[in-house]
Every structure is written in C-alpha cells, then in structure tokens.
Amino acid sequence: MQTKDYSREELQYHQSENNYTLIVPKKFLSAKDIIVKKKNSDGSFSNADVEVRDEENHILIITTIPIDIRLEILEE
C-alpha cells in the first residue's frame, strides 16, 4: 500500500457550496482504489468523513471542513 499526504492548505474552498475539495489525478486509480484518512491532533490517522467522486480524469474528494488528508492507495 502506498500513501500520499495532503495538507489542509492544498484544499480549495468553494464558498457557493460551502465545502472544500481536493482533486487527485486519476492516472491508473479509481475511487475504489483509495481510502481517505484524516490527520488527528495527536498525529495519528482515522477514517475521514468525506465524499469521494470518481470523475473522468480525476478523483474528487469533498469535505465540509478543512483537514489534513492521507490517501491510502490499495494495490492489487
């Protein structure tokens, strides 16, 4: 399994929808290949309450609050 970390500063805020998004290039991934975790204040990670959309060229992660995110990429 591979991991990729994103800081809350990398999220884009959308005022009209009142949410934050992260766009991850799809390459050879699909939404079912990743697990999204949030970084806790103690440095540990737990499952994030986010929406994951499988778009044509990327994976879109939507959250209502800015959080540091870790993507766990599942390998076959």
Side-chain angles (χ1 to χ4, degrees):
M1 173 174 40
Q2 297 178 0
T3 61
K4 174 74 172 141
D5 293 339
Y6 296 92
S7 71
R8 67 187 69 216
E9 288 80 22
E10 295 178 80
L11 301 176
Q12 293 195 9
Y13 179 64
H14 303 279
Q15 187 172 5
S16 62
E17 297 164 15
N18 195 29
N19 65 23
Y20 296 82
T21 60
L22 175 67
I23 294 174
V24 180
K26 199 171 200 179
K27 297 182 184 173
F28 302 106
L29 294 175
S30 71
K32 65 179 175 25
D33 296 326
I34 62 171
I35 296 172
V36 182
K37 303 252 179 173
K38 68 175 180 174
K39 187 174 186 178
N40 301 315
S41 58
D42 65 358
S44 65
F45 289 88
S46 59
N47 289 334
D49 184 20
V50 298
E51 180 181 348
V52 179
R53 291 186 189 165
D54 204 338
E55 306 276 318
E56 186 174 334
N57 296 316
H58 58 269
I59 296 170
L60 181 66
I61 299 170
I62 303 169
T63 178
T64 56
I65 56 172
I67 55 175
D68 293 328
I69 290 176
R70 170 171 282 177
L71 295 183
E72 293 183 351
I73 302 163
L74 305 174
E75 298 174 1
E76 293 184 34

